[in-house]
Amino acid sequence: MASNIQYEKDLNESQYEAVTTLEGPMLVIAGAGSGKTRTLTYRVARLVDSGAPPARILLLTFTRKASEEMLRRAGVLLGMDCDDVAGGTFHSFSHQMLRRYAFKLGFDPGFVILDRPDCEALIDRLKKELVPKGVRNFPRKGTVASIFSRSANTGMSVEKILFSEYNHFIPHKDILDEMYTQYALTKSQENLMDFDDLLLHMRIMLATEPEIRDVIAKKYDYIMVDEYQDTNLIQADILRYLGEGHQNVMVVGDDCQSIYGFRGANFENIMRFPDVFPGTKIIRLEENYRSYQPVLDVTNKIVKQATRKYSKTLFTNLQGGAAPVLVSTRDENSQSQFVVDEVKRLQSQDVPLREIAVLFRAGYQSFDLEVELTRAGIKFVKYGGFKFMESAHIKDALVHLRIAAFPTDKLSWHRALLLLNKVGPKTAQTLSDKICSGPGLAAVKPAPSYKSGFNALRDLIKDISRPGQKVADVGKKVLEYYRPYLESNFDNWPKRQKDLDQLVSMMERYGADLAKFIHDVTLEPPTSTVEDVLAVGEAPPDRMVLSTIHSAKGLEWEAVFVIWTLDGRFPSRQAVAKEGESLEEELRLMYVAATRAKKELFFVHPTDVFDAASMTYLYRPSRFLERLPRTVLRRESY
């Protein structure tokens, strides 16, 4: 039964065309603030309205929250829920499929997903086995993990990555090659997959198992992908395998917001989409519903400098607004003082703190500002830089839950055992091997030196492994067990305890589904803090936002300050040296930062900064801003 949705009335001309084009491949170039989410939401509704079974629609986004919100809105439009629409991230979709079919690749369906600290722990284990004593300047485990992940996501060899990005580690090329081989072999032998493996094995399965590929591909008649500019080569291949039959593939994205190359995202995916899917219809969304025209005038000028792009010009019907400002300050502290003064001005004009944001390229660039905001009594929340899953106390607590969900997770056993008094790495390795390869805990007869601690761990695992318990109740038992260790090993344990309490509050929504909690918190961990404490949900209304630009993508504020817009910092010195795509991505990053502003936009930079790497003083504003006409970008000094 058709709904009463008034598509032509609710959508502008370009949105309507994208929503009502249901057959064939389509590329929607969605400029910042142009109603991309609205367009995807209405298209889901239109497909269902036109008789498409919801279960035969696949919506792939870059966060689970995004797909859930789109499907919720579509359900409101239709007057019915859209729970049957398959929605999620590439990783979660691949995870679901691999749980069903990974046996074809030699994996047990109960394979364990490794998060970043798990990967580093495995690499550290291999490092001790493979790196000869006396070898100097070998990369740290975190760097090795980054090299391996980069190789997996880009398809480049370890050797090529070393030559292009880590040439100071080239003398260790042979060891790293062997370590990469053993890393993959160990994961296979121990039934482990890291984030990258979820995509890699999905692609392998689709490429080498035609029967399974047909089963999966024929489940869906329509595929939609959000943020296509941020996909990597593996994700593009997965999409090609899924959509090459019916060709009803709609991808939405903005080439000018492709800013995740460091994670393996490939700018060429969105540029080549019409070649991969011949006959692609290209639709541009250019009407902006976020920003006043003076802000758009600057953003249009910024992106016009891009060498390769799908041309578009953002415009709006919103009236008013002042031209953005490029502000030069004496030094870093003056930059911070300027922001503090302007925040106070905005507050005096009744602009809520939650509508004010300061953006920067890297988390460390806000440290001085954080001090001055605190001194001025201005509260803030910071996004980007808080590594939730990498915090020791969080990881310590979670390994016990992982053991309850996946009893043969050797890495989690190893970490849990290391928390016991009188248990060192070798003993932990021996015990974890015995627990995971035989009859489990029953096979272990602990030595007197750690017997009491081991028995307490054994009792905890037995208790929390009982089926039917609520995840939050399991979490509380783990925290009670862990509390003595927390208090004796961390001077700031009260602050860490708040993190753990927040972790338990997250568990409340999962009922008794412990495995789902583990999967969700591993695949999409929280990334924000309020006053150095884990933040769950939206930022409090009485705080302004400090954020890396990468973490601010998709968000918007009435007033935005982009700090450190200093040539040599933004773009970075490394990007300037590399030129080409590296410099182009920096330009797109500036565009993303600017398009977060609705009404007021400030670019701020110090003018007396010594760069130790180049032994020079940096003083010029970013090359992306310096030549913009003063009619669209005013200049001020502070």
Side-chain angles (χ1 to χ4, degrees), residues 214-240:
D214 289 345
V215 168
I216 297 174
K218 288 178 179 177
K219 282 171 61 72
Y220 308 105
D221 296 325
Y222 300 94
I223 302 175
M224 289 178 283
V225 182
D226 189 18
E227 304 286 10
Y228 192 65
Q229 77 281 347
D230 295 330
T231 55
N232 61 29
L233 289 171
I234 307 168
Q235 290 163 324
D237 283 345
I238 290 172
L239 181 64
R240 176 171 55 82

PDB file of all heavy atoms in Angstrom, residues 214-240:
ATOM      1  N   ASP A 214      27.004 -15.763  -5.229  1.00  0.00           N
ATOM      2  CA  ASP A 214      25.663 -15.688  -5.813  1.00  0.00           C
ATOM      3  C   ASP A 214      24.586 -15.658  -4.728  1.00  0.00           C
ATOM      4  O   ASP A 214      23.613 -14.909  -4.823  1.00  0.00           O
ATOM      5  CB  ASP A 214      25.422 -16.873  -6.745  1.00  0.00           C
ATOM      6  CG  ASP A 214      26.223 -16.770  -8.027  1.00  0.00           C
ATOM      7  OD1 ASP A 214      26.731 -15.665  -8.316  1.00  0.00           O
ATOM      8  OD2 ASP A 214      26.352 -17.784  -8.749  1.00  0.00           O
ATOM      9  N   VAL A 215      24.767 -16.468  -3.690  1.00  0.00           N
ATOM     10  CA  VAL A 215      23.782 -16.502  -2.607  1.00  0.00           C
ATOM     11  C   VAL A 215      23.676 -15.132  -1.946  1.00  0.00           C
ATOM     12  O   VAL A 215      22.573 -14.612  -1.707  1.00  0.00           O
ATOM     13  CB  VAL A 215      24.153 -17.570  -1.556  1.00  0.00           C
ATOM     14  CG1 VAL A 215      23.301 -17.408  -0.293  1.00  0.00           C
ATOM     15  CG2 VAL A 215      23.978 -18.965  -2.128  1.00  0.00           C
ATOM     16  N   ILE A 216      24.839 -14.517  -1.639  1.00  0.00           N
ATOM     17  CA  ILE A 216      24.839 -13.211  -0.963  1.00  0.00           C
ATOM     18  C   ILE A 216      24.322 -12.119  -1.899  1.00  0.00           C
ATOM     19  O   ILE A 216      23.461 -11.320  -1.521  1.00  0.00           O
ATOM     20  CB  ILE A 216      26.257 -12.863  -0.461  1.00  0.00           C
ATOM     21  CG1 ILE A 216      26.713 -13.877   0.588  1.00  0.00           C
ATOM     22  CG2 ILE A 216      26.278 -11.451   0.129  1.00  0.00           C
ATOM     23  CD1 ILE A 216      28.151 -13.705   1.031  1.00  0.00           C
ATOM     24  N   ALA A 217      24.834 -12.084  -3.127  1.00  0.00           N
ATOM     25  CA  ALA A 217      24.447 -11.025  -4.069  1.00  0.00           C
ATOM     26  C   ALA A 217      22.959 -11.078  -4.402  1.00  0.00           C
ATOM     27  O   ALA A 217      22.309 -10.031  -4.544  1.00  0.00           O
ATOM     28  CB  ALA A 217      25.280 -11.122  -5.345  1.00  0.00           C
ATOM     29  N   LYS A 218      22.408 -12.282  -4.512  1.00  0.00           N
ATOM     30  CA  LYS A 218      20.998 -12.415  -4.895  1.00  0.00           C
ATOM     31  C   LYS A 218      20.032 -12.137  -3.747  1.00  0.00           C
ATOM     32  O   LYS A 218      18.817 -12.100  -3.948  1.00  0.00           O
ATOM     33  CB  LYS A 218      20.751 -13.811  -5.470  1.00  0.00           C
ATOM     34  CG  LYS A 218      21.360 -13.990  -6.855  1.00  0.00           C
ATOM     35  CD  LYS A 218      21.152 -15.402  -7.398  1.00  0.00           C
ATOM     36  CE  LYS A 218      21.759 -15.538  -8.796  1.00  0.00           C
ATOM     37  NZ  LYS A 218      21.631 -16.925  -9.330  1.00  0.00           N
ATOM     38  N   LYS A 219      20.581 -11.905  -2.555  1.00  0.00           N
ATOM     39  CA  LYS A 219      19.727 -11.522  -1.424  1.00  0.00           C
ATOM     40  C   LYS A 219      19.224 -10.089  -1.571  1.00  0.00           C
ATOM     41  O   LYS A 219      18.225  -9.706  -0.960  1.00  0.00           O
ATOM     42  CB  LYS A 219      20.506 -11.635  -0.107  1.00  0.00           C
ATOM     43  CG  LYS A 219      20.671 -13.051   0.424  1.00  0.00           C
ATOM     44  CD  LYS A 219      21.628 -13.081   1.597  1.00  0.00           C
ATOM     45  CE  LYS A 219      21.147 -12.243   2.761  1.00  0.00           C
ATOM     46  NZ  LYS A 219      19.986 -12.853   3.454  1.00  0.00           N
ATOM     47  N   TYR A 220      19.948  -9.266  -2.379  1.00  0.00           N
ATOM     48  CA  TYR A 220      19.653  -7.836  -2.444  1.00  0.00           C
ATOM     49  C   TYR A 220      19.411  -7.392  -3.889  1.00  0.00           C
ATOM     50  O   TYR A 220      20.191  -7.695  -4.778  1.00  0.00           O
ATOM     51  CB  TYR A 220      20.814  -7.034  -1.841  1.00  0.00           C
ATOM     52  CG  TYR A 220      21.184  -7.527  -0.460  1.00  0.00           C
ATOM     53  CD1 TYR A 220      22.352  -8.284  -0.261  1.00  0.00           C
ATOM     54  CD2 TYR A 220      20.362  -7.298   0.631  1.00  0.00           C
ATOM     55  CE1 TYR A 220      22.684  -8.765   0.998  1.00  0.00           C
ATOM     56  CE2 TYR A 220      20.682  -7.779   1.892  1.00  0.00           C
ATOM     57  CZ  TYR A 220      21.835  -8.516   2.066  1.00  0.00           C
ATOM     58  OH  TYR A 220      22.152  -9.003   3.306  1.00  0.00           O
ATOM     59  N   ASP A 221      18.312  -6.659  -4.072  1.00  0.00           N
ATOM     60  CA  ASP A 221      17.996  -6.097  -5.386  1.00  0.00           C
ATOM     61  C   ASP A 221      18.499  -4.669  -5.510  1.00  0.00           C
ATOM     62  O   ASP A 221      18.673  -4.169  -6.628  1.00  0.00           O
ATOM     63  CB  ASP A 221      16.480  -6.110  -5.621  1.00  0.00           C
ATOM     64  CG  ASP A 221      15.920  -7.519  -5.663  1.00  0.00           C
ATOM     65  OD1 ASP A 221      16.624  -8.417  -6.153  1.00  0.00           O
ATOM     66  OD2 ASP A 221      14.779  -7.717  -5.186  1.00  0.00           O
ATOM     67  N   TYR A 222      18.705  -4.002  -4.373  1.00  0.00           N
ATOM     68  CA  TYR A 222      19.120  -2.593  -4.383  1.00  0.00           C
ATOM     69  C   TYR A 222      20.192  -2.388  -3.309  1.00  0.00           C
ATOM     70  O   TYR A 222      20.040  -2.826  -2.168  1.00  0.00           O
ATOM     71  CB  TYR A 222      17.932  -1.670  -4.091  1.00  0.00           C
ATOM     72  CG  TYR A 222      16.808  -1.803  -5.094  1.00  0.00           C
ATOM     73  CD1 TYR A 222      15.737  -2.654  -4.849  1.00  0.00           C
ATOM     74  CD2 TYR A 222      16.826  -1.093  -6.294  1.00  0.00           C
ATOM     75  CE1 TYR A 222      14.702  -2.799  -5.768  1.00  0.00           C
ATOM     76  CE2 TYR A 222      15.800  -1.228  -7.218  1.00  0.00           C
ATOM     77  CZ  TYR A 222      14.744  -2.092  -6.956  1.00  0.00           C
ATOM     78  OH  TYR A 222      13.735  -2.228  -7.883  1.00  0.00           O
ATOM     79  N   ILE A 223      21.250  -1.724  -3.707  1.00  0.00           N
ATOM     80  CA  ILE A 223      22.348  -1.446  -2.774  1.00  0.00           C
ATOM     81  C   ILE A 223      22.597   0.057  -2.761  1.00  0.00           C
ATOM     82  O   ILE A 223      22.673   0.695  -3.821  1.00  0.00           O
ATOM     83  CB  ILE A 223      23.641  -2.173  -3.184  1.00  0.00           C
ATOM     84  CG1 ILE A 223      23.405  -3.685  -3.259  1.00  0.00           C
ATOM     85  CG2 ILE A 223      24.766  -1.863  -2.200  1.00  0.00           C
ATOM     86  CD1 ILE A 223      24.598  -4.468  -3.778  1.00  0.00           C
ATOM     87  N   MET A 224      22.727   0.617  -1.554  1.00  0.00           N
ATOM     88  CA  MET A 224      23.082   2.026  -1.398  1.00  0.00           C
ATOM     89  C   MET A 224      24.298   2.131  -0.483  1.00  0.00           C
ATOM     90  O   MET A 224      24.382   1.425   0.519  1.00  0.00           O
ATOM     91  CB  MET A 224      21.910   2.809  -0.802  1.00  0.00           C
ATOM     92  CG  MET A 224      20.744   2.981  -1.753  1.00  0.00           C
ATOM     93  SD  MET A 224      19.354   3.872  -0.993  1.00  0.00           S
ATOM     94  CE  MET A 224      18.675   2.577   0.015  1.00  0.00           C
ATOM     95  N   VAL A 225      25.210   3.004  -0.840  1.00  0.00           N
ATOM     96  CA  VAL A 225      26.426   3.192  -0.042  1.00  0.00           C
ATOM     97  C   VAL A 225      26.591   4.677   0.269  1.00  0.00           C
ATOM     98  O   VAL A 225      26.563   5.516  -0.639  1.00  0.00           O
ATOM     99  CB  VAL A 225      27.682   2.681  -0.783  1.00  0.00           C
ATOM    100  CG1 VAL A 225      28.916   2.854   0.101  1.00  0.00           C
ATOM    101  CG2 VAL A 225      27.517   1.220  -1.178  1.00  0.00           C
ATOM    102  N   ASP A 226      26.753   4.984   1.539  1.00  0.00           N
ATOM    103  CA  ASP A 226      26.976   6.353   1.985  1.00  0.00           C
ATOM    104  C   ASP A 226      28.485   6.615   2.098  1.00  0.00           C
ATOM    105  O   ASP A 226      29.273   5.683   2.300  1.00  0.00           O
ATOM    106  CB  ASP A 226      26.304   6.547   3.349  1.00  0.00           C
ATOM    107  CG  ASP A 226      26.285   8.001   3.799  1.00  0.00           C
ATOM    108  OD1 ASP A 226      26.465   8.897   2.943  1.00  0.00           O
ATOM    109  OD2 ASP A 226      26.060   8.246   4.998  1.00  0.00           O
ATOM    110  N   GLU A 227      28.877   7.885   1.961  1.00  0.00           N
ATOM    111  CA  GLU A 227      30.279   8.302   2.130  1.00  0.00           C
ATOM    112  C   GLU A 227      31.223   7.480   1.247  1.00  0.00           C
ATOM    113  O   GLU A 227      32.278   7.015   1.683  1.00  0.00           O
ATOM    114  CB  GLU A 227      30.708   8.168   3.603  1.00  0.00           C
ATOM    115  CG  GLU A 227      29.840   8.931   4.590  1.00  0.00           C
ATOM    116  CD  GLU A 227      30.065  10.434   4.573  1.00  0.00           C
ATOM    117  OE1 GLU A 227      30.762  10.927   3.667  1.00  0.00           O
ATOM    118  OE2 GLU A 227      29.524  11.125   5.463  1.00  0.00           O
ATOM    119  N   TYR A 228      30.870   7.338  -0.019  1.00  0.00           N
ATOM    120  CA  TYR A 228      31.648   6.465  -0.896  1.00  0.00           C
ATOM    121  C   TYR A 228      33.070   6.980  -1.103  1.00  0.00           C
ATOM    122  O   TYR A 228      33.975   6.193  -1.412  1.00  0.00           O
ATOM    123  CB  TYR A 228      30.943   6.313  -2.246  1.00  0.00           C
ATOM    124  CG  TYR A 228      31.525   5.203  -3.088  1.00  0.00           C
ATOM    125  CD1 TYR A 228      31.428   3.880  -2.671  1.00  0.00           C
ATOM    126  CD2 TYR A 228      32.204   5.462  -4.275  1.00  0.00           C
ATOM    127  CE1 TYR A 228      31.981   2.841  -3.418  1.00  0.00           C
ATOM    128  CE2 TYR A 228      32.746   4.435  -5.032  1.00  0.00           C
ATOM    129  CZ  TYR A 228      32.635   3.138  -4.599  1.00  0.00           C
ATOM    130  OH  TYR A 228      33.185   2.119  -5.339  1.00  0.00           O
ATOM    131  N   GLN A 229      33.274   8.284  -0.900  1.00  0.00           N
ATOM    132  CA  GLN A 229      34.622   8.833  -1.085  1.00  0.00           C
ATOM    133  C   GLN A 229      35.604   8.281  -0.051  1.00  0.00           C
ATOM    134  O   GLN A 229      36.814   8.407  -0.217  1.00  0.00           O
ATOM    135  CB  GLN A 229      34.601  10.364  -1.020  1.00  0.00           C
ATOM    136  CG  GLN A 229      34.483  10.964   0.377  1.00  0.00           C
ATOM    137  CD  GLN A 229      33.069  10.945   0.913  1.00  0.00           C
ATOM    138  OE1 GLN A 229      32.131  10.701   0.162  1.00  0.00           O
ATOM    139  NE2 GLN A 229      32.904  11.216   2.193  1.00  0.00           N
ATOM    140  N   ASP A 230      35.087   7.681   1.022  1.00  0.00           N
ATOM    141  CA  ASP A 230      35.955   7.179   2.088  1.00  0.00           C
ATOM    142  C   ASP A 230      36.206   5.676   2.003  1.00  0.00           C
ATOM    143  O   ASP A 230      36.811   5.100   2.910  1.00  0.00           O
ATOM    144  CB  ASP A 230      35.345   7.515   3.458  1.00  0.00           C
ATOM    145  CG  ASP A 230      35.290   9.020   3.714  1.00  0.00           C
ATOM    146  OD1 ASP A 230      36.168   9.730   3.181  1.00  0.00           O
ATOM    147  OD2 ASP A 230      34.377   9.468   4.416  1.00  0.00           O
ATOM    148  N   THR A 231      35.748   5.042   0.933  1.00  0.00           N
ATOM    149  CA  THR A 231      35.977   3.601   0.805  1.00  0.00           C
ATOM    150  C   THR A 231      37.399   3.303   0.346  1.00  0.00           C
ATOM    151  O   THR A 231      38.045   4.119  -0.302  1.00  0.00           O
ATOM    152  CB  THR A 231      34.992   2.974  -0.198  1.00  0.00           C
ATOM    153  OG1 THR A 231      35.086   3.681  -1.448  1.00  0.00           O
ATOM    154  CG2 THR A 231      33.566   3.046   0.322  1.00  0.00           C
ATOM    155  N   ASN A 232      37.869   2.102   0.692  1.00  0.00           N
ATOM    156  CA  ASN A 232      39.170   1.673   0.187  1.00  0.00           C
ATOM    157  C   ASN A 232      38.971   0.715  -0.990  1.00  0.00           C
ATOM    158  O   ASN A 232      37.844   0.415  -1.379  1.00  0.00           O
ATOM    159  CB  ASN A 232      40.016   1.038   1.307  1.00  0.00           C
ATOM    160  CG  ASN A 232      39.371  -0.197   1.909  1.00  0.00           C
ATOM    161  OD1 ASN A 232      38.617  -0.915   1.250  1.00  0.00           O
ATOM    162  ND2 ASN A 232      39.670  -0.448   3.182  1.00  0.00           N
ATOM    163  N   LEU A 233      40.069   0.232  -1.542  1.00  0.00           N
ATOM    164  CA  LEU A 233      39.985  -0.628  -2.717  1.00  0.00           C
ATOM    165  C   LEU A 233      39.240  -1.930  -2.428  1.00  0.00           C
ATOM    166  O   LEU A 233      38.514  -2.442  -3.282  1.00  0.00           O
ATOM    167  CB  LEU A 233      41.399  -0.936  -3.227  1.00  0.00           C
ATOM    168  CG  LEU A 233      42.153   0.225  -3.891  1.00  0.00           C
ATOM    169  CD1 LEU A 233      43.600  -0.179  -4.147  1.00  0.00           C
ATOM    170  CD2 LEU A 233      41.480   0.640  -5.186  1.00  0.00           C
ATOM    171  N   ILE A 234      39.411  -2.458  -1.223  1.00  0.00           N
ATOM    172  CA  ILE A 234      38.748  -3.714  -0.871  1.00  0.00           C
ATOM    173  C   ILE A 234      37.233  -3.515  -0.837  1.00  0.00           C
ATOM    174  O   ILE A 234      36.463  -4.329  -1.364  1.00  0.00           O
ATOM    175  CB  ILE A 234      39.244  -4.228   0.495  1.00  0.00           C
ATOM    176  CG1 ILE A 234      40.766  -4.307   0.522  1.00  0.00           C
ATOM    177  CG2 ILE A 234      38.632  -5.590   0.806  1.00  0.00           C
ATOM    178  CD1 ILE A 234      41.334  -4.528   1.904  1.00  0.00           C
ATOM    179  N   GLN A 235      36.787  -2.428  -0.222  1.00  0.00           N
ATOM    180  CA  GLN A 235      35.357  -2.152  -0.147  1.00  0.00           C
ATOM    181  C   GLN A 235      34.765  -1.931  -1.535  1.00  0.00           C
ATOM    182  O   GLN A 235      33.645  -2.368  -1.827  1.00  0.00           O
ATOM    183  CB  GLN A 235      35.117  -0.935   0.752  1.00  0.00           C
ATOM    184  CG  GLN A 235      35.407  -1.229   2.219  1.00  0.00           C
ATOM    185  CD  GLN A 235      35.587   0.017   3.061  1.00  0.00           C
ATOM    186  OE1 GLN A 235      36.132   1.021   2.600  1.00  0.00           O
ATOM    187  NE2 GLN A 235      35.129  -0.038   4.305  1.00  0.00           N
ATOM    188  N   ALA A 236      35.510  -1.268  -2.405  1.00  0.00           N
ATOM    189  CA  ALA A 236      35.038  -1.060  -3.783  1.00  0.00           C
ATOM    190  C   ALA A 236      34.888  -2.403  -4.499  1.00  0.00           C
ATOM    191  O   ALA A 236      33.930  -2.611  -5.259  1.00  0.00           O
ATOM    192  CB  ALA A 236      36.007  -0.156  -4.538  1.00  0.00           C
ATOM    193  N   ASP A 237      35.820  -3.319  -4.260  1.00  0.00           N
ATOM    194  CA  ASP A 237      35.711  -4.648  -4.864  1.00  0.00           C
ATOM    195  C   ASP A 237      34.505  -5.407  -4.328  1.00  0.00           C
ATOM    196  O   ASP A 237      33.787  -6.081  -5.077  1.00  0.00           O
ATOM    197  CB  ASP A 237      36.988  -5.456  -4.594  1.00  0.00           C
ATOM    198  CG  ASP A 237      38.144  -5.048  -5.491  1.00  0.00           C
ATOM    199  OD1 ASP A 237      37.896  -4.353  -6.497  1.00  0.00           O
ATOM    200  OD2 ASP A 237      39.291  -5.416  -5.182  1.00  0.00           O
ATOM    201  N   ILE A 238      34.278  -5.329  -3.014  1.00  0.00           N
ATOM    202  CA  ILE A 238      33.118  -5.996  -2.413  1.00  0.00           C
ATOM    203  C   ILE A 238      31.838  -5.477  -3.049  1.00  0.00           C
ATOM    204  O   ILE A 238      30.945  -6.252  -3.417  1.00  0.00           O
ATOM    205  CB  ILE A 238      33.096  -5.775  -0.884  1.00  0.00           C
ATOM    206  CG1 ILE A 238      34.243  -6.546  -0.226  1.00  0.00           C
ATOM    207  CG2 ILE A 238      31.754  -6.189  -0.284  1.00  0.00           C
ATOM    208  CD1 ILE A 238      34.435  -6.240   1.251  1.00  0.00           C
ATOM    209  N   LEU A 239      31.746  -4.163  -3.210  1.00  0.00           N
ATOM    210  CA  LEU A 239      30.554  -3.571  -3.824  1.00  0.00           C
ATOM    211  C   LEU A 239      30.391  -4.052  -5.270  1.00  0.00           C
ATOM    212  O   LEU A 239      29.272  -4.360  -5.711  1.00  0.00           O
ATOM    213  CB  LEU A 239      30.655  -2.042  -3.790  1.00  0.00           C
ATOM    214  CG  LEU A 239      29.460  -1.297  -4.383  1.00  0.00           C
ATOM    215  CD1 LEU A 239      28.192  -1.557  -3.577  1.00  0.00           C
ATOM    216  CD2 LEU A 239      29.743   0.210  -4.448  1.00  0.00           C
ATOM    217  N   ARG A 240      31.497  -4.140  -5.987  1.00  0.00           N
ATOM    218  CA  ARG A 240      31.431  -4.590  -7.384  1.00  0.00           C
ATOM    219  C   ARG A 240      30.902  -6.023  -7.453  1.00  0.00           C
ATOM    220  O   ARG A 240      30.032  -6.332  -8.291  1.00  0.00           O
ATOM    221  CB  ARG A 240      32.822  -4.494  -8.026  1.00  0.00           C
ATOM    222  CG  ARG A 240      32.894  -5.031  -9.450  1.00  0.00           C
ATOM    223  CD  ARG A 240      34.237  -4.702 -10.084  1.00  0.00           C
ATOM    224  NE  ARG A 240      35.353  -5.177  -9.299  1.00  0.00           N
ATOM    225  CZ  ARG A 240      35.831  -6.422  -9.319  1.00  0.00           C
ATOM    226  NH1 ARG A 240      35.252  -7.328 -10.108  1.00  0.00           N
ATOM    227  NH2 ARG A 240      36.875  -6.764  -8.584  1.00  0.00           N
TER     228      ARG A 240
END
